[in-house]
Coordinates of all heavy atoms in Angstrom, one line a residue:
D1 N -10.9 -23.3 11.0 CA -12.3 -23.0 11.5 C -13.2 -22.8 10.3 O -14.4 -23.3 10.3 CB -12.4 -21.8 12.4 CG -11.8 -22.0 13.8 OD1 -11.6 -23.2 14.2 OD2 -11.6 -21.1 14.5
I2 N -12.8 -22.1 9.3 CA -13.6 -21.8 8.1 C -13.9 -23.2 7.4 O -15.0 -23.4 7.0 CB -13.0 -20.8 7.2 CG1 -12.9 -19.4 7.8 CG2 -13.7 -20.7 5.8 CD1 -12.1 -18.4 7.1
G3 N -12.8 -24.0 7.2 CA -13.0 -25.3 6.6 C -14.0 -26.1 7.3 O -14.8 -26.8 6.7
R4 N -13.9 -26.2 8.6 CA -14.8 -27.0 9.4 C -16.2 -26.5 9.2 O -17.1 -27.3 9.0 CB -14.4 -26.9 10.9 CG -15.2 -27.8 11.8 CD -14.8 -27.7 13.2 NE -14.4 -26.4 13.7 CZ -15.2 -25.4 14.0 NH1 -16.5 -25.6 13.9 NH2 -14.7 -24.2 14.4
R5 N -16.4 -25.2 9.3 CA -17.8 -24.6 9.2 C -18.4 -24.9 7.8 O -19.6 -25.1 7.7 CB -17.8 -23.1 9.4 CG -17.6 -22.7 10.9 CD -17.9 -21.2 11.1 NE -17.3 -20.3 10.2 CZ -16.2 -19.7 10.4 NH1 -15.5 -19.9 11.5 NH2 -15.7 -18.9 9.5
R6 N -17.5 -24.9 6.8 CA -18.0 -25.2 5.4 C -17.9 -26.6 5.0 O -18.2 -26.9 3.8 CB -17.2 -24.3 4.4 CG -17.5 -22.8 4.7 CD -16.8 -21.9 3.7 NE -17.1 -20.5 4.0 CZ -16.6 -19.5 3.3 NH1 -15.8 -19.7 2.3 NH2 -16.9 -18.3 3.6
A7 N -17.5 -27.5 5.9 CA -17.4 -28.9 5.6 C -16.5 -29.2 4.5 O -16.8 -30.0 3.6 CB -18.7 -29.5 5.4
V8 N -15.3 -28.5 4.4 CA -14.3 -28.8 3.4 C -13.0 -29.0 4.1 O -12.7 -28.5 5.2 CB -14.2 -27.6 2.4 CG1 -15.4 -27.4 1.6 CG2 -13.7 -26.3 3.1
E9 N -12.2 -29.9 3.4 CA -10.8 -30.2 4.0 C -9.9 -29.1 3.5 O -9.9 -28.6 2.4 CB -10.4 -31.5 3.4 CG -9.0 -31.9 3.9 CD -8.6 -33.3 3.4 OE1 -9.4 -34.1 3.2 OE2 -7.4 -33.4 3.2
V10 N -9.0 -28.6 4.4 CA -8.1 -27.6 4.2 C -6.7 -28.1 4.4 O -6.4 -28.7 5.4 CB -8.3 -26.3 5.1 CG1 -7.2 -25.3 4.8 CG2 -9.7 -25.8 4.9
A11 N -5.8 -27.9 3.4 CA -4.4 -28.3 3.5 C -3.6 -27.1 3.3 O -3.8 -26.3 2.3 CB -4.0 -29.4 2.5
V12 N -2.6 -26.8 4.1 CA -1.8 -25.6 4.0 C -0.3 -26.1 3.8 O 0.2 -26.9 4.5 CB -1.9 -24.8 5.3 CG1 -1.0 -23.6 5.2 CG2 -3.3 -24.4 5.6
R13 N 0.3 -25.5 2.8 CA 1.7 -25.8 2.5 C 2.4 -24.4 2.1 O 1.9 -23.7 1.2 CB 1.7 -26.7 1.3 CG 3.1 -27.1 0.9 CD 3.1 -28.2 -0.1 NE 2.3 -27.9 -1.3 CZ 2.8 -27.7 -2.5 NH1 4.1 -27.7 -2.7 NH2 2.0 -27.4 -3.5
E14 N 3.5 -24.1 2.8 CA 4.2 -22.9 2.5 C 4.9 -23.0 1.1 O 5.6 -24.0 0.8 CB 5.2 -22.6 3.5 CG 6.0 -21.3 3.3 CD 6.9 -21.0 4.4 OE1 8.0 -21.6 4.5 OE2 6.6 -20.1 5.3
L15 N 4.6 -22.1 0.2 CA 5.2 -22.1 -1.1 C 6.4 -21.1 -1.2 O 7.3 -21.3 -2.1 CB 4.1 -21.7 -2.2 CG 2.9 -22.6 -2.3 CD1 1.9 -22.1 -3.3 CD2 3.4 -24.0 -2.6
A16 N 6.4 -20.1 -0.5 CA 7.4 -19.1 -0.6 C 7.5 -18.3 0.7 O 6.5 -18.2 1.5 CB 7.2 -18.1 -1.7
R17 N 8.7 -17.8 1.0 CA 8.9 -16.9 2.2 C 9.8 -15.8 1.7 O 10.9 -16.1 1.3 CB 9.5 -17.7 3.3 CG 9.7 -16.9 4.6 CD 10.3 -17.7 5.7 NE 9.5 -18.8 6.1 CZ 8.8 -18.8 7.2 NH1 9.0 -17.9 8.1 NH2 8.0 -19.9 7.5
T18 N 9.3 -14.6 1.8 CA 10.1 -13.5 1.4 C 10.3 -12.5 2.6 O 9.3 -12.3 3.4 CB 9.5 -12.7 0.3 OG1 8.2 -12.3 0.6 CG2 9.5 -13.6 -1.0
P19 N 11.4 -11.9 2.8 CA 11.6 -11.0 3.9 C 10.9 -9.7 3.7 O 10.6 -9.4 2.6 CB 13.1 -10.8 3.9 CG 13.6 -11.0 2.5 CD 12.6 -12.1 2.0
A20 N 10.6 -9.0 4.8 CA 10.0 -7.7 4.7 C 11.0 -6.7 4.0 O 12.2 -6.9 4.1 CB 9.7 -7.2 6.1
V21 N 10.4 -5.8 3.3 CA 11.2 -4.8 2.6 C 10.8 -3.4 3.3 O 9.6 -3.1 3.3 CB 10.9 -4.7 1.1 CG1 11.6 -3.5 0.5 CG2 11.3 -6.0 0.5
A22 N 11.7 -2.8 3.8 CA 11.5 -1.5 4.5 C 11.3 -0.4 3.5 O 12.0 -0.3 2.5 CB 12.6 -1.1 5.4
C23 N 10.3 0.5 3.7 CA 10.2 1.7 2.8 C 11.2 2.7 3.2 O 11.6 2.8 4.4 CB 8.8 2.3 3.0 SG 7.5 1.2 2.3
A24 N 11.7 3.4 2.2 CA 12.8 4.4 2.5 C 12.3 5.6 3.3 O 11.2 6.2 2.9 CB 13.3 4.9 1.1
P25 N 12.9 5.9 4.4 CA 12.5 7.0 5.2 C 12.3 8.3 4.4 O 11.4 9.1 4.6 CB 13.6 7.2 6.3 CG 14.1 5.8 6.4 CD 14.1 5.2 5.0
R26 N 13.2 8.6 3.5 CA 13.2 9.9 2.7 C 11.9 9.9 1.8 O 11.2 10.9 1.7 CB 14.4 10.0 1.8 CG 14.4 11.2 0.9 CD 15.8 11.3 0.1 NE 15.6 12.1 -1.0 CZ 15.5 11.6 -2.3 NH1 15.5 10.3 -2.5 NH2 15.4 12.4 -3.3
L27 N 11.6 8.8 1.2 CA 10.4 8.7 0.3 C 9.1 8.8 1.2 O 8.2 9.4 0.8 CB 10.4 7.4 -0.5 CG 11.5 7.3 -1.5 CD1 11.4 6.0 -2.3 CD2 11.5 8.5 -2.5
R28 N 9.1 8.1 2.3 CA 8.0 8.2 3.2 C 7.8 9.6 3.7 O 6.6 10.1 3.8 CB 8.2 7.3 4.4 CG 8.1 5.8 4.1 CD 8.3 5.0 5.3 NE 7.1 5.2 6.2 CZ 7.0 4.6 7.4 NH1 7.8 3.7 7.8 NH2 5.9 4.9 8.1
A29 N 8.9 10.3 4.0 CA 8.7 11.7 4.4 C 8.2 12.6 3.3 O 7.3 13.4 3.6 CB 10.1 12.2 4.9
R30 N 8.6 12.4 2.1 CA 8.1 13.2 1.0 C 6.7 12.9 0.7 O 5.9 13.8 0.4 CB 9.0 13.0 -0.3 CG 10.4 13.4 -0.2 CD 10.6 14.9 0.2 NE 11.9 15.2 0.5 CZ 12.5 15.1 1.7 NH1 11.8 14.8 2.7 NH2 13.7 15.5 1.8
L31 N 6.3 11.7 0.8 CA 4.8 11.4 0.6 C 4.0 12.0 1.7 O 3.0 12.6 1.5 CB 4.6 9.9 0.7 CG 4.9 9.1 -0.6 CD1 4.9 7.6 -0.4 CD2 3.9 9.5 -1.7
G32 N 4.5 12.0 3.0 CA 3.8 12.6 4.1 C 3.7 14.1 3.9 O 2.6 14.7 4.1
Q33 N 4.8 14.8 3.4 CA 4.7 16.2 3.1 C 3.7 16.5 2.0 O 2.9 17.5 2.1 CB 6.1 16.7 2.8 CG 7.1 16.7 3.9 CD 8.5 16.8 3.5 OE1 8.8 16.6 2.3 NE2 9.4 17.0 4.4
A34 N 3.7 15.7 1.0 CA 2.7 15.9 -0.1 C 1.3 15.7 0.4 O 0.4 16.4 0.0 CB 3.0 15.0 -1.2
I35 N 1.1 14.7 1.3 CA -0.3 14.5 1.8 C -0.7 15.8 2.6 O -1.9 16.2 2.4 CB -0.3 13.3 2.7 CG1 -0.1 12.0 1.8 CG2 -1.6 13.2 3.5 CD1 0.2 10.7 2.6
E36 N 0.2 16.3 3.4 CA -0.1 17.5 4.1 C -0.4 18.7 3.2 O -1.3 19.5 3.4 CB 1.0 17.9 5.1 CG 1.1 16.9 6.3 CD 2.2 17.2 7.2 OE1 3.2 17.9 6.8 OE2 2.2 16.8 8.4
T37 N 0.4 18.8 2.1 CA 0.2 19.9 1.1 C -1.2 19.8 0.5 O -1.8 20.8 0.2 CB 1.3 19.8 0.0 OG1 2.6 20.0 0.6 CG2 1.1 20.8 -1.1
C38 N -1.7 18.6 0.4 CA -3.0 18.4 -0.2 C -4.1 18.4 0.9 O -5.3 18.1 0.6 CB -3.1 17.0 -0.9 SG -2.1 17.0 -2.4
G39 N -3.8 18.9 2.1 CA -4.8 19.2 3.1 C -5.2 18.0 3.9 O -6.3 18.0 4.6
Q40 N -4.5 16.9 3.9 CA -4.8 15.7 4.6 C -3.8 15.5 5.7 O -2.6 16.0 5.7 CB -4.9 14.5 3.7 CG -5.9 14.7 2.6 CD -7.3 14.8 3.1 OE1 -7.7 14.0 4.0 NE2 -8.0 15.7 2.6
T41 N -4.1 14.6 6.7 CA -3.1 14.2 7.7 C -2.5 12.9 7.3 O -3.3 11.9 7.1 CB -3.9 14.1 9.1 OG1 -4.5 15.4 9.4 CG2 -2.9 13.7 10.2
P42 N -1.2 12.8 7.3 CA -0.6 11.6 6.9 C -0.9 10.5 8.0 O -1.0 10.8 9.2 CB 0.9 11.9 6.9 CG 1.0 13.4 6.8 CD -0.2 13.9 7.5
F43 N -1.0 9.3 7.5 CA -1.3 8.2 8.4 C -0.3 7.0 8.0 O -0.4 6.5 6.9 CB -2.7 7.7 8.3 CG -3.1 6.5 9.1 CD1 -3.3 6.7 10.5 CD2 -3.2 5.3 8.5 CE1 -3.7 5.6 11.2 CE2 -3.5 4.2 9.3 CZ -3.8 4.3 10.7
A44 N 0.6 6.7 8.8 CA 1.6 5.6 8.5 C 1.0 4.3 9.1 O 0.4 4.2 10.1 CB 2.9 5.9 9.2
L45 N 1.2 3.2 8.3 CA 0.8 1.9 8.7 C 1.8 0.9 8.3 O 2.5 1.0 7.3 CB -0.6 1.6 8.2 CG -0.9 1.6 6.7 CD1 -0.8 0.2 6.2 CD2 -2.2 2.2 6.5
D46 N 1.9 -0.2 9.0 CA 2.7 -1.4 8.6 C 1.8 -2.1 7.6 O 0.6 -2.2 7.8 CB 3.0 -2.2 9.8 CG 4.0 -1.6 10.8 OD1 4.8 -0.8 10.3 OD2 3.9 -1.8 12.0
S47 N 2.4 -2.7 6.6 CA 1.7 -3.4 5.6 C 2.3 -4.7 5.3 O 3.5 -4.9 5.3 CB 1.7 -2.5 4.3 OG 1.2 -3.3 3.2
G48 N 1.5 -5.6 4.9 CA 2.0 -6.9 4.4 C 2.0 -7.0 2.9 O 2.1 -8.0 2.3
A49 N 2.1 -5.8 2.3 CA 2.0 -5.7 0.8 C 3.4 -5.9 0.3 O 3.8 -5.2 -0.6 CB 1.4 -4.4 0.4
G50 N 4.2 -6.8 0.8 CA 5.6 -7.0 0.3 C 5.7 -7.4 -1.1 O 6.7 -7.0 -1.8
H51 N 4.7 -8.1 -1.6 CA 4.7 -8.5 -3.0 C 4.8 -7.3 -4.0 O 5.2 -7.4 -5.1 CB 3.5 -9.3 -3.4 CG 2.2 -8.6 -3.2 ND1 1.6 -8.5 -2.0 CD2 1.4 -8.0 -4.1 CE1 0.5 -7.8 -2.2 NE2 0.3 -7.6 -3.5
D52 N 4.4 -6.1 -3.5 CA 4.4 -4.9 -4.3 C 5.8 -4.2 -4.2 O 6.1 -3.4 -5.1 CB 3.4 -3.9 -3.8 CG 2.0 -4.4 -4.0 OD1 1.7 -4.9 -5.1 OD2 1.1 -4.2 -3.1
A53 N 6.6 -4.6 -3.3 CA 7.9 -3.9 -3.1 C 9.1 -4.9 -3.2 O 10.2 -4.4 -3.6 CB 8.0 -3.2 -1.8
V54 N 8.9 -6.1 -2.9 CA 10.1 -7.0 -2.7 C 10.9 -7.1 -4.0 O 12.1 -7.3 -3.9 CB 9.6 -8.4 -2.2 CG1 8.9 -9.2 -3.3 CG2 10.8 -9.2 -1.6
M55 N 10.3 -7.0 -5.2 CA 11.0 -7.2 -6.4 C 12.0 -6.0 -6.6 O 13.0 -6.1 -7.4 CB 10.1 -7.3 -7.6 CG 9.3 -6.0 -7.9 SD 8.2 -6.2 -9.3 CE 6.9 -7.1 -8.4
F56 N 11.8 -4.9 -5.9 CA 12.7 -3.8 -6.1 C 13.8 -3.7 -5.0 O 14.7 -2.8 -5.1 CB 11.9 -2.5 -6.1 CG 11.0 -2.4 -7.2 CD1 9.6 -2.6 -7.1 CD2 11.5 -2.1 -8.5 CE1 8.8 -2.5 -8.1 CE2 10.6 -2.0 -9.6 CZ 9.3 -2.2 -9.4
D57 N 13.8 -4.6 -4.0 CA 14.7 -4.6 -2.9 C 16.1 -4.8 -3.5 O 16.4 -5.7 -4.3 CB 14.4 -5.7 -1.9 CG 15.2 -5.6 -0.7 OD1 15.6 -4.5 -0.3 OD2 15.5 -6.7 0.0
G58 N 17.0 -3.9 -3.1 CA 18.4 -3.9 -3.6 C 18.6 -3.2 -4.9 O 19.7 -3.0 -5.3
L59 N 17.5 -2.8 -5.6 CA 17.6 -2.1 -6.9 C 17.4 -0.6 -6.7 O 18.1 0.2 -7.2 CB 16.6 -2.7 -7.8 CG 16.5 -2.1 -9.2 CD1 17.8 -2.3 -10.0 CD2 15.3 -2.6 -10.0
T60 N 16.4 -0.3 -5.9 CA 16.0 1.1 -5.6 C 15.3 1.2 -4.3 O 14.8 0.2 -3.8 CB 15.2 1.7 -6.8 OG1 15.1 3.1 -6.7 CG2 13.9 1.0 -6.9
D61 N 15.1 2.5 -3.9 CA 14.3 2.7 -2.7 C 12.8 2.5 -3.1 O 12.4 2.8 -4.2 CB 14.5 4.1 -2.2 CG 15.9 4.3 -1.5 OD1 16.5 3.3 -1.2 OD2 16.3 5.5 -1.4
V62 N 12.0 2.2 -2.1 CA 10.6 2.0 -2.3 C 9.8 2.7 -1.2 O 10.3 2.9 -0.1 CB 10.1 0.5 -2.4 CG1 10.8 -0.2 -3.5 CG2 10.4 -0.2 -1.1
A63 N 8.6 3.1 -1.5 CA 7.6 3.6 -0.6 C 6.3 3.3 -1.2 O 6.1 3.1 -2.4 CB 7.8 5.1 -0.3
M64 N 5.2 3.3 -0.4 CA 3.9 3.0 -0.8 C 2.9 4.1 -0.4 O 3.0 4.6 0.7 CB 3.4 1.7 -0.3 CG 4.2 0.5 -0.8 SD 3.4 -1.0 -0.2 CE 4.7 -2.2 -0.6
L65 N 2.0 4.4 -1.3 CA 0.9 5.3 -1.1 C -0.4 4.5 -1.2 O -0.7 4.0 -2.3 CB 0.9 6.5 -2.1 CG -0.3 7.4 -2.0 CD1 -0.3 8.2 -0.7 CD2 -0.2 8.4 -3.2
F66 N -1.0 4.3 -0.1 CA -2.3 3.5 -0.1 C -3.5 4.4 -0.4 O -3.5 5.5 0.2 CB -2.5 2.7 1.2 CG -1.5 1.6 1.3 CD1 -0.3 1.8 1.9 CD2 -1.8 0.4 0.8 CE1 0.7 0.8 2.1 CE2 -0.9 -0.7 0.9 CZ 0.3 -0.5 1.5
V67 N -4.4 4.0 -1.2 CA -5.6 4.8 -1.5 C -6.7 4.1 -0.8 O -6.9 2.9 -0.8 CB -5.9 4.8 -3.0 CG1 -7.1 5.6 -3.3 CG2 -4.7 5.4 -3.8
R68 N -7.5 5.0 -0.1 CA -8.6 4.5 0.7 C -9.6 3.6 -0.2 O -10.0 4.0 -1.3 CB -9.4 5.7 1.3 CG -10.6 5.3 2.1 CD -11.1 6.5 2.8 NE -11.1 7.7 2.1 CZ -11.1 8.9 2.6 NH1 -11.1 9.1 3.9 NH2 -11.0 10.0 1.9
C69 N -10.0 2.5 0.3 CA -11.0 1.6 -0.4 C -12.3 2.0 0.1 O -12.5 2.2 1.3 CB -10.7 0.1 -0.1 SG -9.3 -0.5 -0.9
G70 N -13.3 2.0 -0.7 CA -14.6 2.4 -0.4 C -15.5 1.3 0.3 O -16.6 1.6 0.8
D71 N -15.0 0.1 0.3 CA -15.9 -1.0 0.8 C -15.2 -1.6 2.0 O -14.8 -2.8 1.9 CB -16.2 -2.0 -0.3 CG -17.2 -3.0 0.1 OD1 -17.9 -2.8 1.2 OD2 -17.5 -4.0 -0.6
R72 N -15.0 -0.9 3.1 CA -14.4 -1.3 4.3 C -13.0 -1.9 4.1 O -12.6 -2.8 4.8 CB -15.3 -2.4 5.0 CG -16.7 -1.8 5.3 CD -17.5 -2.9 6.0 NE -17.6 -4.2 5.3 CZ -18.4 -4.5 4.3 NH1 -19.2 -3.6 3.9 NH2 -18.3 -5.7 3.8
G73 N -12.3 -1.3 3.2 CA -10.9 -1.7 3.0 C -10.6 -3.0 2.3 O -9.5 -3.6 2.3
I74 N -11.6 -3.5 1.6 CA -11.5 -4.8 0.8 C -10.5 -4.5 -0.3 O -10.7 -3.6 -1.1 CB -12.8 -5.3 0.4 CG1 -13.6 -5.8 1.6 CG2 -12.6 -6.5 -0.6 CD1 -15.1 -6.2 1.2
S75 N -9.5 -5.3 -0.4 CA -8.5 -5.1 -1.5 C -8.2 -6.4 -2.3 O -8.4 -7.5 -1.7 CB -7.2 -4.7 -0.8 OG -6.2 -4.5 -1.7
H76 N -7.8 -6.2 -3.5 CA -7.5 -7.3 -4.4 C -8.8 -8.2 -4.5 O -8.7 -9.5 -4.4 CB -6.3 -8.2 -3.9 CG -5.1 -7.4 -3.9 ND1 -4.7 -6.5 -2.9 CD2 -4.0 -7.4 -4.7 CE1 -3.6 -6.0 -3.1 NE2 -3.1 -6.5 -4.2
S77 N -9.9 -7.6 -4.7 CA -11.1 -8.3 -4.9 C -12.0 -7.6 -5.8 O -11.9 -6.3 -6.0 CB -11.8 -8.3 -3.5 OG -13.2 -8.6 -3.6
P78 N -12.9 -8.3 -6.5 CA -13.9 -7.6 -7.4 C -14.7 -6.5 -6.6 O -15.3 -5.6 -7.2 CB -14.8 -8.7 -8.0 CG -13.9 -9.9 -7.8 CD -13.1 -9.7 -6.6
R79 N -14.8 -6.7 -5.3 CA -15.6 -5.7 -4.5 C -14.8 -4.5 -4.1 O -15.3 -3.6 -3.5 CB -16.1 -6.4 -3.3 CG -17.1 -7.5 -3.6 CD -17.7 -8.1 -2.3 NE -16.7 -8.2 -1.2 CZ -17.0 -8.8 -0.1 NH1 -18.1 -9.3 0.2 NH2 -16.1 -8.9 0.8
E80 N -13.5 -4.5 -4.5 CA -12.7 -3.3 -4.2 C -13.2 -2.1 -4.9 O -13.5 -2.2 -6.1 CB -11.3 -3.6 -4.5 CG -10.3 -2.4 -4.2 CD -8.9 -2.7 -4.5 OE1 -8.6 -3.8 -5.0 OE2 -8.0 -1.9 -4.2
T81 N -13.4 -1.0 -4.3 CA -13.8 0.3 -4.9 C -13.0 1.4 -4.4 O -12.4 1.4 -3.4 CB -15.3 0.6 -4.6 OG1 -15.4 0.8 -3.2 CG2 -16.2 -0.5 -5.0
V82 N -13.0 2.5 -5.2 CA -12.3 3.7 -4.8 C -13.2 4.9 -5.4 O -13.7 4.7 -6.6 CB -10.9 3.8 -5.3 CG1 -10.8 3.8 -6.8 CG2 -10.2 5.0 -4.7
T83 N -13.3 5.9 -4.7 CA -14.1 7.0 -5.2 C -13.2 7.9 -6.1 O -12.0 7.9 -6.0 CB -14.6 7.9 -4.1 OG1 -13.5 8.6 -3.4 CG2 -15.5 7.1 -3.1
A84 N -13.9 8.6 -7.0 CA -13.1 9.6 -7.9 C -12.4 10.6 -7.0 O -11.2 11.0 -7.4 CB -14.1 10.3 -8.8
A85 N -13.0 11.0 -5.9 CA -12.3 12.0 -5.1 C -11.0 11.4 -4.5 O -10.0 12.1 -4.4 CB -13.3 12.5 -4.0
D86 N -11.1 10.2 -4.0 CA -9.9 9.6 -3.4 C -8.8 9.3 -4.5 O -7.6 9.5 -4.2 CB -10.3 8.3 -2.7 CG -10.9 8.6 -1.3 OD1 -10.8 9.7 -0.8 OD2 -11.6 7.6 -0.8
A87 N -9.2 8.9 -5.7 CA -8.3 8.7 -6.8 C -7.6 10.0 -7.2 O -6.4 10.1 -7.4 CB -9.0 8.1 -8.0
D88 N -8.4 11.1 -7.2 CA -7.9 12.4 -7.5 C -6.9 12.9 -6.4 O -5.8 13.4 -6.7 CB -9.0 13.5 -7.6 CG -8.5 14.9 -7.8 OD1 -8.0 15.2 -8.9 OD2 -8.6 15.7 -6.8
L89 N -7.2 12.7 -5.2 CA -6.3 13.0 -4.1 C -5.0 12.2 -4.2 O -3.9 12.8 -4.1 CB -7.0 12.8 -2.7 CG -6.1 12.9 -1.5 CD1 -5.6 14.4 -1.4 CD2 -6.9 12.6 -0.2
A90 N -5.1 11.0 -4.4 CA -3.9 10.1 -4.6 C -3.0 10.6 -5.8 O -1.8 10.7 -5.6 CB -4.3 8.7 -4.8
A91 N -3.6 11.0 -6.9 CA -2.9 11.5 -8.0 C -2.2 12.8 -7.7 O -1.0 13.0 -8.1 CB -3.8 11.7 -9.2
R92 N -2.9 13.7 -6.9 CA -2.3 15.0 -6.6 C -1.1 14.8 -5.6 O -0.1 15.4 -5.7 CB -3.3 15.9 -6.0 CG -4.3 16.4 -7.1 CD -5.2 17.5 -6.6 NE -6.3 16.9 -5.7 CZ -6.4 17.3 -4.4 NH1 -5.7 18.2 -3.9 NH2 -7.4 16.7 -3.7
V93 N -1.3 13.8 -4.7 CA -0.2 13.5 -3.7 C 1.0 12.9 -4.5 O 2.2 13.3 -4.2 CB -0.7 12.5 -2.6 CG1 0.5 11.9 -1.9 CG2 -1.6 13.2 -1.7
L94 N 0.8 12.0 -5.4 CA 1.9 11.4 -6.1 C 2.6 12.5 -7.0 O 3.8 12.5 -7.0 CB 1.3 10.3 -7.0 CG 2.4 9.5 -7.8 CD1 3.4 8.9 -6.8 CD2 1.7 8.4 -8.6
L95 N 1.8 13.3 -7.7 CA 2.4 14.4 -8.5 C 3.3 15.3 -7.6 O 4.4 15.7 -7.9 CB 1.3 15.2 -9.2 CG 1.9 16.4 -10.0 CD1 2.8 15.9 -11.1 CD2 0.7 17.1 -10.6
A96 N 2.7 15.8 -6.5 CA 3.5 16.6 -5.6 C 4.8 16.0 -5.1 O 5.8 16.6 -5.0 CB 2.6 17.1 -4.4
T97 N 4.7 14.7 -4.8 CA 5.9 14.0 -4.4 C 6.9 13.9 -5.5 O 8.1 14.2 -5.2 CB 5.5 12.5 -3.9 OG1 4.5 12.6 -2.9 CG2 6.7 11.8 -3.4
I98 N 6.5 13.6 -6.7 CA 7.4 13.5 -7.8 C 8.1 14.8 -8.1 O 9.3 14.9 -8.3 CB 6.7 12.9 -9.0 CG1 6.3 11.4 -8.8 CG2 7.6 13.1 -10.3 CD1 5.4 10.9 -9.8
L99 N 7.3 15.9 -8.1 CA 7.8 17.2 -8.4 C 8.9 17.6 -7.3 O 9.9 18.2 -7.6 CB 6.7 18.2 -8.5 CG 5.8 18.1 -9.7 CD1 4.7 19.0 -9.6 CD2 6.6 18.2 -11.0
R100 N 8.6 17.3 -6.0 CA 9.5 17.7 -5.0 C 10.8 16.9 -5.1 O 11.9 17.4 -5.0 CB 8.9 17.4 -3.6 CG 9.9 17.8 -2.5 CD 9.2 18.2 -1.3 NE 10.1 18.7 -0.3 CZ 9.9 19.2 0.8 NH1 8.6 19.3 1.2 NH2 10.8 19.6 1.6
L101 N 10.7 15.6 -5.4 CA 11.9 14.7 -5.6 C 12.7 15.2 -6.7 O 13.9 15.3 -6.7 CB 11.5 13.3 -5.7 CG 11.0 12.6 -4.5 CD1 10.4 11.2 -4.8 CD2 12.1 12.4 -3.4
A102 N 12.0 15.6 -7.8 CA 12.7 16.1 -9.0 C 13.5 17.4 -8.7 O 14.6 17.6 -9.1 CB 11.7 16.3 -10.2
A103 N 12.8 18.3 -7.9 CA 13.5 19.5 -7.5 C 14.7 19.3 -6.7 O 15.7 20.1 -6.7 CB 12.5 20.4 -6.8
E104 N 14.7 18.2 -5.9 CA 15.8 17.9 -5.0 C 17.0 17.3 -5.7 O 18.1 17.2 -5.3 CB 15.4 16.9 -3.9 CG 14.4 17.6 -2.9 CD 13.8 16.6 -1.9 OE1 14.2 15.4 -2.0 OE2 13.1 17.0 -1.0
G105 N 16.7 16.8 -6.9 CA 17.7 16.1 -7.7 C 17.9 14.8 -7.4 O 18.5 14.0 -7.0

């Protein structure tokens, strides 16, 4: 539809297919606890951000902490923004998670 509207020819060819990588329940739980510790409500979502985790599949557990984008969630774009407050919150959540994991051994 976009190609037709813009009067350009579109050709699609699959270059790669990678399976989904599940985030580790233990790491997700620790991130959720840290988010609560920082006064926020955890929000879980399914993500297509496999390129960020697939390289670690089979090597170690993974989990993701997404930081709110300031421009309606636009990501991987020059228009992507984040506020200092959201960056600070993410850093505090990450630190709390790391410290708890370190304490658990």
Side-chain angles (χ1 to χ4, degrees):
D1 286 346
I2 293 170
R4 183 180 40 75
R5 286 194 313 266
R6 295 182 179 181
V8 296
E9 183 178 324
V10 177
V12 178
R13 179 171 57 108
E14 183 176 74
L15 298 177
R17 181 181 297 249
T18 55
V21 175
C23 290
R26 176 174 160 259
L27 296 179
R28 289 182 64 178
R30 295 304 170 268
L31 281 169
Q33 291 163 347
I35 290 167
E36 288 177 339
T37 297
C38 291
Q40 301 296 312
T41 302
F43 178 79
L45 58 96
D46 293 328
S47 167
H51 62 280
D52 293 320
V54 73
M55 69 183 75
F56 295 105
D57 191 29
L59 179 65
T60 189
D61 289 341
V62 298
M64 294 186 192
L65 173 64
F66 290 91
V67 180
R68 179 173 36 205
C69 287
D71 192 6
R72 299 180 312 275
I74 293 173
S75 179
H76 296 80
S77 163
R79 297 185 320 185
E80 181 175 4
T81 63
V82 64
T83 66
D86 284 341
D88 176 70
L89 174 61
R92 288 187 289 119
V93 167
L94 186 57
L95 178 60
T97 302
I98 291 169
L99 291 174
R100 179 154 189 176
L101 289 169
E104 292 174 358

